[in-house]
Amino acid sequence: MLKDYLKLHFIVLLWGFTAILGKLITVPPVELVFWRTLLASTGLVGLLVARRTGWRLAPAEALRLLGVGALVAAHWITFFLAARLSSVSVCLAGMATLALWTSLLEPLLLWRRVRPYEVGLGLLAMVGLYLISQAEFTQLTGLLVAVASAGLSALFSVLNSQLVKRHAPVRLTFYEMLGACLSIVLFFPVYSRYFTQGAGLRLGWHGYDWLWLLLLAGVCTVYAFSSSVELMKRISAFVVNLTINLEPVYGIVLAQALFVLRVPGFGQEKMSGGFYIGTLLILASVLVHPVLDQWNQRRARKEAVGIVN
């Protein structure tokens, strides 16, 4: 189990690196998500062939996975939209509701009782990210879009925790990335007309965009996404999403490391007292959960033994 938790944190570290890649890539956000999902889908086809993993599914099941992929695309698009409508800080503050969303959606969709300590830990992580981001809550529209984005992320994570029991992680990831790519293609006409200020789609690559996009699609999407899905066989969606709250922390630390290494385009990240307090709160919420979860399981077993006796 410890190995799974360490792997999960490595995956979240890679997702923290996506923010840096997003800064390096010159392609606009929606087009970036299109290329990310298209390249990821193509890479996954090769992986399916290399592993000789069957990719054919019943039409109803394929549509279900494609639909979850559309949720993934909607999450990524609304995430970038929130950052544009407000600021990155407000966007991260809204995304801090991810664990709270999961603590509510998981019982609703999986037919189990709400665990009060999970709701409490979700709120604690939310406070931690608020302190880190030092958000300006006056930017209400962007905040609401970010909260909706967190809800979409929680929803597809909970759905994946069940789908992974029936499908190989690579095959599941392929269909979801394909669904995400196709949904963005369908969204392009609306996006081009209403969200580009008349500039139209900008799909061209410049400079090292090809390298950063390959890293984003190959390492941060194909590997990280499929591995996170595989981990859901053994770790609950709530724990996964609670750990994902560390993504902005890892991202800020990586950006600071790039500044120290004097990588062009990365300035110094000024760490305030709120950053360290918020980081401690998030770490506390992530580390305390396994302890409370084990305590809850022991109590449930004792109650079960008491009922049987």
Side-chain angles (χ1 to χ4, degrees):
M1 184 61 75
L2 176 61
K3 183 179 178 181
D4 288 336
Y5 281 116
L6 291 175
K7 186 175 182 179
L8 176 59
H9 278 274
F10 177 66
I11 291 169
V12 175
L13 177 66
L14 291 178
W15 283 337
F17 190 63
T18 60
I20 294 172
L21 290 174
K23 185 173 182 178
L24 293 171
I25 296 170
T26 63
V27 180
V30 175
E31 290 90 330
L32 186 156
V33 175
F34 165 73
W35 283 119
R36 179 182 187 178
T37 53
L38 178 63
L39 292 172
S41 301
T42 305
L44 286 162
V45 169
L47 202 56
L48 286 170
V49 173
R51 294 185 179 182
R52 297 182 180 179
T53 303
W55 59 273
R56 293 184 179 179
L57 293 175
E61 193 69 4
L63 286 174
R64 188 174 290 112
L65 294 182
L66 292 173
V68 175
L71 289 176
V72 175
H75 157 61
W76 281 338
I77 290 173
T78 51
F79 175 80
F80 288 121
L81 178 60
R84 285 193 171 188
L85 290 174
S86 52
S87 66
V88 173
S89 296
V90 172
C91 182
L92 289 176
M95 286 300 300
T97 61
L98 178 62
L100 180 60
W101 273 109
T102 308
S103 68
L104 299 174
L105 289 174
E106 201 171 36
L108 180 64
L109 297 177
L110 304 186
W111 296 93
R112 70 165 176 80
R113 289 186 301 175
V114 174
R115 295 168 181 164
Y117 68 87
E118 288 188 347
V119 177
L121 290 176
L123 289 170
L124 182 64
M126 182 176 168
V127 172
L129 274 183
Y130 167 73
L131 292 174
I132 290 173
S133 62
Q134 296 180 335
E136 294 290 337
F137 280 96
T138 54
Q139 303 176 62
L140 185 59
T141 303
L143 176 64
L144 292 176
V145 173
V147 170
S149 181
L152 290 168
S153 179
L155 179 58
F156 76 71
S157 294
V158 173
L159 293 175
N160 273 346
S161 69
Q162 298 305 299
L163 291 171
V164 73
K165 297 176 182 178
R166 306 198 298 269
H167 303 287
V170 175
R171 180 173 58 211
L172 183 149
T173 304
F174 163 70
Y175 273 93
E176 291 186 351
M177 290 299 102
L178 180 61
C181 184
L182 293 176
S183 63
I184 293 171
V185 170
L186 294 175
F187 177 65
F188 268 160
V190 176
Y191 166 72
S192 178
R193 181 170 181 178
Y194 296 106
F195 295 98
T196 62
Q197 290 78 45
L201 299 178
R202 294 167 52 194
L203 295 169
W205 298 359
H206 304 280
Y208 287 99
D209 280 351
W210 62 274
L211 176 60
W212 310 135
L213 281 167
L214 288 176
L215 285 174
L216 180 64
V219 179
C220 300
T221 305
V222 173
Y223 167 75
F225 195 93
S226 60
S227 295
S228 69
V229 169
E230 194 271 336
L231 284 175
M232 285 183 182
K233 291 181 178 179
R234 300 179 295 278
I235 301 177
S236 72
F238 176 81
V239 175
V240 171
N241 284 337
L242 187 64
T243 309
I244 289 174
N245 278 308
L246 288 170
E247 180 182 339
V249 179
Y250 289 149
I252 292 172
V253 172
L254 287 170
Q256 179 69 14
L258 290 175
F259 166 74
V260 172
L261 294 173
R262 303 190 179 211
V263 175
F266 290 91
Q268 185 174 13
E269 297 286 343
K270 295 181 179 179
M271 307 294 186
S272 65
F275 172 84
Y276 297 106
I277 296 173
T279 301
L280 287 174
L281 288 177
I282 295 172
L283 286 173
S285 68
V286 172
L287 295 174
V288 167
H289 178 268
V291 178
L292 293 178
D293 196 41
Q294 289 183 4
W295 174 81
N296 186 61
Q297 290 178 13
R298 285 198 299 269
R299 188 183 67 173
R301 285 195 293 268
K302 288 181 181 178
E303 290 178 353
V305 171
I307 292 174
V308 171
N309 293 336

